[in-house]
């Protein structure tokens, strides 16, 4: 919970910077998409964090879409992000520098870790994750000048992952 209060403050600050509450020139009911990816045992905490962000967003717009694991599939996220002015993602990150296999096409890097039936049992869960990297992210169609907020991601915003040293600038 300690990390979500600064997140809510940041959300409100960004909302005020982009004209929320809506000014005459701003969209009348801007869209906010809140996504919680599959993160194993921490997914419940991220859903709780996202519910707090949802409550804050609803103070400024009625157009808030939630897509939470275990239902955060690529097709649902793509639909939720369409036209969104603010996109909030809580979940796994996968980027550089990291100790994992180099992916020259970034198909798993710099994107979202979402629900996918990895084992083919016909059920989605908080434990089965597929990374949708840069090529997938380029397919998204948010509103022009959308703001994207990333929370709790490994290999985003200068983070490493639990148990590993933070990356250096070099």
């Amino acid at each position: 919970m300690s990390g979500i209060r600064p997140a809510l403050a940041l959300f409100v600050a960004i909302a005020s910077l982009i004209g929320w509450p809506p000014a005459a020139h701003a969209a009348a009911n801007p869209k906010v998409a809140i996504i919680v990816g599959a993160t194993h045992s921490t997914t419940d905490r991220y859903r709780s964090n996202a519910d707090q962000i949802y409550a804050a967003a609803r103070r400024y717009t009625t157009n808030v879409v939630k897509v939470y694991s275990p239902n955060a599939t690529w097709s649902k996220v793509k639909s939720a992000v369409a036209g969104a002015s603010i996109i909030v993602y809580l979940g796994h990150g996968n980027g550089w520098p990291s100790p994992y296999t180099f992916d020259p096409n970034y198909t798993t890097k710099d994107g979202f870790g979402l629900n996918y039936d990895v084992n083919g049992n016909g059920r989605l869960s908080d434990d089965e994750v597929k990374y949708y990297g840069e090529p997938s992210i380029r397919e998204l169609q948010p509103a022009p000048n959308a703001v994207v907020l990333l929370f709790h991601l490994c290999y985003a915003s200068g983070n490493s992952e639990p148990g590993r040293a933070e990356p250096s600038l070099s």
Side-chain angles (χ1 to χ4, degrees):
M1 179 102 149
S2 62
I4 200 64
R5 291 198 195 284
L8 289 173
L10 178 63
F11 179 87
V12 171
I14 289 172
S16 66
L17 287 173
I18 64 171
W20 284 6
H25 64 280
N29 200 30
K31 184 177 183 181
V32 176
I34 303 171
I35 304 158
V36 176
T39 54
H40 313 282
S41 63
T42 59
T43 309
D44 282 338
R45 181 168 52 99
Y46 291 1
R47 281 189 283 258
S48 177
N49 292 165
D51 284 342
Q52 292 176 49
I53 294 168
Y54 174 83
R58 291 282 297 163
R59 292 180 18 214
Y60 299 97
T61 181
T62 60
N63 195 3
V64 183
V65 179
K66 301 189 306 184
V67 182
Y68 292 3
S69 179
N71 301 306
T73 61
W74 175 248
S75 62
K76 289 180 182 177
V77 167
K78 191 173 178 181
S79 176
V81 167
S85 297
I86 294 181
I87 302 160
V88 181
Y89 171 71
L90 301 91
H92 278 303
N94 187 3
W96 300 106
S98 84
Y100 305 108
T101 305
F102 180 66
D103 176 3
N105 297 317
Y106 288 80
T107 57
T108 62
K109 306 296 183 197
D110 304 334
F112 299 145
L114 302 175
N115 296 105
Y116 186 81
D117 186 11
V118 176
N119 65 14
N121 68 357
R123 293 187 308 262
L124 298 173
S125 75
D126 293 340
D127 295 320
E128 293 183 279
V129 181
K130 179 177 178 181
Y131 290 100
Y132 293 84
E134 287 185 25
S136 297
I137 297 300
R138 283 193 290 271
E139 294 177 18
L140 298 177
Q141 296 181 342
N145 303 312
V147 174
V148 179
L149 303 170
L150 305 173
F151 294 110
H152 305 298
L153 278 67
C154 295
Y155 304 106
S157 309
N159 292 330
S160 180
E161 63 182 279
R164 295 196 182 270
E166 296 299 317
S168 67
L169 188 56
S170 62

